[in-house]
Amino acid sequence: MIKAIYPGSFDPITLGHIDIIHRGLAIFDQIVVAVAHNIEKKSLFSIEERKRLIREVLKESDRVTIDSFNGLLVNYVEKVQGNVIIRGLRATSDFEYEFHMASINRHLNHRVDTFFMMTAKDYFFVSSRTIKEVAMMGGSVKGLVPEAVERALRVKFESLPG
Ligand code: PNS
């Protein structure tokens, strides 16, 4: 029984994240989507809004749960008795940061390993940060985020095209 933790800011969740979750479900028995309280990043959506949006697009089941955590990821993984961390890799530019993060996490807790999945080719240029920037400037994010996220972005940025 392998329980994988998929941590991130998810500010907001994109179709790239959802693709990783669906593919992860073919490998792992359970996935916990864990929204981080990130002290360094100023977020557009609150933790509760992010969790609500994730719940709208992913049906919670005995295989998929949605949660949030404060503090160190490895402590959270231990607390929920997870076995592995999942991270998506979009490009070589993600590699250095992810390599550092996986290394420090393993240094902090050698029982916790990180499993990387390459992002699907349709989403390798999609990040929550660029989605927010495009939406803020009135560009279309259709096909890159779930419709519920598009609607929520429209509430934040009224100029977003319909
Ligand atoms: O979606 P993101 O912003 O790339 O996710 C980064 C996240 C939340 C996974 C990372 O910042 C994290 O694990 N934060 C929790 C604090 C922590 O454990 N830091 C030590 C490892 S860098």
Side-chain angles (χ1 to χ4, degrees):
M1 163 69 195
I2 302 184
K3 185 178 195 174
I5 310 303
Y6 184 37
S9 303
F10 302 108
D11 185 39
I13 192 161
T14 69
L15 290 182
H17 293 129
I18 290 167
D19 172 66
I20 295 282
I21 295 164
H22 284 146
R23 284 160 54 210
L25 282 170
I27 300 166
F28 302 109
D29 300 298
Q30 270 188 14
I31 294 186
V32 180
V33 183
V35 182
H37 285 264
N38 199 329
I39 38 174
E40 282 175 10
K41 282 189 183 172
K42 196 177 142 18
S43 60
L44 175 65
F45 293 99
S46 70
I47 293 281
E48 283 315 312
E49 285 174 317
R50 283 181 257 168
K51 285 207 289 191
R52 184 179 51 74
L53 281 172
I54 299 172
R55 280 205 181 93
E56 266 187 62
V57 295
L58 283 177
K59 292 279 160 288
E60 267 193 291
S61 66
D62 52 351
R63 296 195 62 210
V64 183
T65 51
I66 296 145
D67 196 8
S68 54
F69 70 100
N70 264 307
L72 286 178
L73 173 59
V74 286
N75 293 347
Y76 173 76
V77 174
E78 195 83 51
K79 190 183 99 183
V80 297
Q81 298 180 331
N83 308 98
V84 65
I85 294 167
I86 309 179
R87 292 287 288 173
L89 272 184
R90 280 168 304 209
T92 49
S93 52
D94 280 345
F95 178 80
E96 200 171 338
Y97 170 64
E98 295 295 337
F99 177 63
H100 279 121
M101 204 157 69
S103 306
I104 186 79
N105 284 337
R106 253 180 75 72
H107 170 80
L108 292 168
N109 186 334
H110 65 91
R111 286 182 301 279
V112 177
D113 222 320
T114 305
F115 183 93
F116 291 101
M117 296 181 76
M118 298 307 297
T119 297
K121 66 175 174 33
D122 295 343
Y123 306 122
F124 74 91
F125 57 92
V126 178
S127 71
S128 300
R129 189 175 62 79
T130 52
I131 290 292
K132 283 181 282 192
E133 189 166 324
V134 169
M136 187 173 70
M137 295 181 180
S140 171
V141 292
K142 216 177 261 310
L144 306 179
V145 293
E147 282 176 16
V149 170
E150 230 185 301
R151 285 194 297 274
L153 285 166
R154 202 166 290 125
V155 172
K156 301 270 180 195
F157 307 118
E158 282 165 11
S159 60
L160 194 63

